[in-house]
Amino acid sequence: MIIERFRNGDALPVYRRFRERGRMAPDGLNYIASWVTPDLTICYQIMEAPDRTLLEQWMANWVDLVEFEVCPVIASQEAAERIGPKL
């Protein structure tokens, strides 16, 4: 999961670039879904990649407009499988 904080709380430059250039993601990095706070300052985005290198390449295209926090996550089913033997 990626937490994107729009620099200066300003979503306009982010949406403008997205409209002009698209997501600018390298091959192999898959966008799943995203949610934006009602005040348009933060985006929570689910991306899927085989390794972090692809995320780093993508974030480099946006770092002038967005501060990123990467939170690796696993599916709930995988978490249940991991914890199951300990129950």
Side-chain angles (χ1 to χ4, degrees):
M1 180 175 77
I2 311 299
I3 301 172
E4 301 179 0
R5 291 180 177 83
F6 303 142
R7 293 195 185 277
N8 302 314
D10 190 359
L12 186 61
V14 176
Y15 280 85
R16 184 175 289 134
R17 182 176 295 169
F18 182 81
R19 184 185 63 205
E20 293 170 357
R21 300 186 195 173
R23 194 165 310 281
M24 299 189 299
D27 289 339
L29 179 63
N30 298 311
Y31 165 82
I32 305 298
S34 61
W35 302 264
V36 179
T37 57
D39 65 358
L40 304 175
T41 61
I42 300 173
C43 177
Y44 299 91
Q45 193 159 185
I46 303 296
M47 303 289 277
E48 185 177 56
D51 63 69
R52 186 170 172 136
T53 304
L54 295 174
L55 282 173
E56 297 290 343
Q57 291 173 16
W58 168 70
M59 290 185 295
N61 294 323
W62 296 94
V63 72
D64 59 321
L65 301 177
V66 177
E67 294 177 17
F68 291 96
E69 180 180 349
V70 178
C71 305
V73 295
I74 58 174
S76 296
Q77 181 177 349
E78 184 178 344
E81 290 169 0
R82 287 186 186 185
I83 200 74
K86 299 177 183 179
L87 297 175

